[in-house]
Amino acid sequence: MLAVVGEADLAELLPLMRGYCEFYEVAPSDSDLLAMSRALIADPERDGLQLIARDAAGAAIGFTTIFWSWSTLSGSRIGVMNDLFVAPAARGSGTAEALIRLALEHCRNHGASSLGWQTAQDNHRARALYERIGARREEWLDYSLAT
């Protein structure tokens, strides 16, 4: 079962977001993670949305976050899949593919011309999934500055 995250999902979403953060060895506070989720719930048309995946018993097993942006290079709105995480016990179940398909559907419905994302160079399992579903690897370098 896949759905757009609502307030009632946050208690089960938080451990998944924490697992995602631990994978990338970062530790934002729970209150910061929940504030982000609540901002998306409050204005999904402007900011973006989160999707949650549940198993047959209803337990939360994965999520993705899509932010809306614009691309000057295409002159169009785009979706940015900032997060994609499936609990270790549910990996290989098709959950990640299902979340990506639903993210694409939301992008189309929102008028976005594409869905893009990043992953760590050493995240070989994710990279294999992305290549298997036909995603094209880009050749950009990421930079950032702390504020």
Side-chain angles (χ1 to χ4, degrees), residues 113-134:
S113 65
S114 66
L115 173 66
W117 63 91
Q118 302 169 310
T119 195
Q121 289 190 22
D122 64 352
N123 192 347
H124 301 291
R125 184 177 185 136
R127 290 175 63 182
L129 162 67
Y130 303 149
E131 291 169 17
R132 186 171 65 248
I133 64 169

Side-chain angles (χ1 to χ4, degrees), residues 57-128:
I61 57 171
F63 82 100
T64 189
T65 305
I66 303 123
F67 295 119
W68 304 127
S69 190
W70 290 88
S71 170
T72 302
L73 298 178
S74 66
S76 63
R77 181 178 296 280
I78 60 170
V80 178
M81 185 170 63
N82 203 62
D83 318 314
L84 176 65
F85 181 79
V86 175
R91 291 181 185 158
S93 67
T95 300
E97 294 95 328
L99 284 164
I100 293 169
R101 280 193 306 272
L102 186 55
L104 274 171
E105 182 179 322
H106 280 277
C107 285
R108 286 185 197 107
N109 292 341
H110 197 70
S113 65
S114 66
L115 173 66
W117 63 91
Q118 302 169 310
T119 195
Q121 289 190 22
D122 64 352
N123 192 347
H124 301 291
R125 184 177 185 136
R127 290 175 63 182

Side-chain angles (χ1 to χ4, degrees), residues 2 7 11 18 20-21 30 40 42 52 63 66 104 111 134 137:
L2 301 173
E7 185 72 30
R18 179 65 49 219
Y20 176 79
C21 291
D30 287 355
L40 296 173
I52 192 164
F63 82 100
I66 303 123
L104 274 171
R137 189 177 82 186

